[in-house]
Amino acid sequence: MKTFIKSLGMAILGGIVALGGYQLVQNEDSSTSFVQQPIIESPLPATPVSYTGNTSIAGVDFTEAAEKTVHSVVHVINKTVARAPMSMADVWAGRTPYREAIGTGSGVIITPDGYIITNNHVIKNSNHLQVTLNNNQTYKAELIGADEESDIALIKIETDEDLPFVPFGDSNNAKIGEWVLAVGNPFNLTSTVTAGIISAKGRDLESRDQNIQSFIQTDAAVNPGNSGGALVNTRGELIGINTAIKSQTGSYIGYSFAVPSNNARKIIEDFMEFGFVQKGMLGIRGTDLNGTNSKEFGLNSTEGIYVAEIVEDSGAAKSDLRKGDVIISLDGVEISKFSELSGYIKTKNPGDVVNAEVIRKNKLIAIPITITRNNTVTIPQIEMELRNLTSEEKKIFDVKDGVKITKTIGKLSRYNLSDYIVTKVNDTDVADIDDIQSVLRDVVPNETLLIQMKNSKGEIERFRYTVN
């Protein structure tokens, strides 16, 4: 598995558990004397504390959850072909050398017929995917779908027997301080289980980019190789997919991060039903409230999302939501920062209705808001990020229909196509993103498409693209 290290010190997971030990040092001194001290009454109220309840480590049994999970977490091997450094012989011969690269990670079986969820970075650029079960049986895996933005991918193996699988839990109900297990294959060590607690929710590790993340943070030890593995509660329910660590060394030093299971589940269900991820939006731009800006806005509340702007033609625009409102919950789930709002909306499909609890002029009101489609969609099959044309862009490109190329990814990222729109795929005219997704729904891997594009100068270009 390839390891990616962000400037913040975030390393993409995978991993081996660093084994450490704690030595209890006892100072035995038989000559110790005790002097009775006078009892001083404290002026502060105090309540006796019991340490025998189920919230202590002594009251938690990890064995059942580990037994349920360990047989459902697999070892994923990704074989890719990459360019090798050129020697002088290669230069003289005019050839480009290639070599096979092997990356490893983890995956979680989520259905008895062999669907497996993992990270996008575990299977990225794969030529061959291989999965090894906990009983050492090996299978070839097929890529069903991958979403780079969320770092979630779905693969499938074929087997005649029902496989053990991990049931999904509700990550919205996961609580800070709750005990969890991380199960994966760190440093190619199979079936490794570590324990920790949920340290935080709604974490965004890279606040400077446009991809707002909403990770579950835990102190369960994970390392390179754990990527794509399971984060489960003490009942053995899947509440997260281990994805990243934040570290200056690239290995575990205290915190790791997982994609919440509700977000991952929505993505893989989209892959199964549509072949791509349907992305919805609430339709607001806003900022987290704090003690400073709440005074600037003239508000009493210091928690929630201040609505600074409402996006035109969105569900928020068609609802009773107004600029200056403060969103404090969605469907009863408390929202105190934008990453939490973004994470919750990512579990919803266009057309779903969420019930927002809003503070307006210090009064609490409830507003139903319909989730609308996010017009910007990443389509990994053709390595493009696309969105529907605006009225102004239709004038610029002198067209009635088409979709705008906003970004290219993967192998196409070397080409700048930001001044192009897609007008036709094979023999099908493209009016909007739905048309492209309809065409791709019937396309099989390695099929070649003829894509027609037009730039703002009116020039039409065509190129052939082999689907991933």
Side-chain angles (χ1 to χ4, degrees), residues 20-24:
Y22 291 93
Q23 183 179 19
L24 178 64

Side-chain angles (χ1 to χ4, degrees), residues 430-442:
V430 172
D432 53 28
I433 289 175
D434 285 342
D435 288 340
I436 289 185
Q437 291 175 333
S438 178
V439 171
L440 294 179
R441 196 171 292 128
D442 299 323

Side-chain angles (χ1 to χ4, degrees), residues 395-399 419-421 423 452-462:
K395 294 178 183 178
I396 293 173
F397 289 94
D398 191 25
V399 294
D419 188 41
Y420 286 85
I421 62 172
T423 57
Q452 178 175 296
M453 305 183 303
K454 183 179 182 180
N455 62 24
S456 58
K457 298 177 183 178
E459 299 169 337
I460 295 177
E461 297 185 24
R462 300 176 181 86

Side-chain angles (χ1 to χ4, degrees), residues 149 278-281 350 372-377 386-387 433:
E149 181 179 315
Q278 289 198 109
K279 297 183 180 180
M281 67 175 184
T372 50
R373 176 173 297 177
N374 187 337
N375 284 331
T376 300
V377 177
L386 306 169
R387 66 169 168 77
I433 289 175

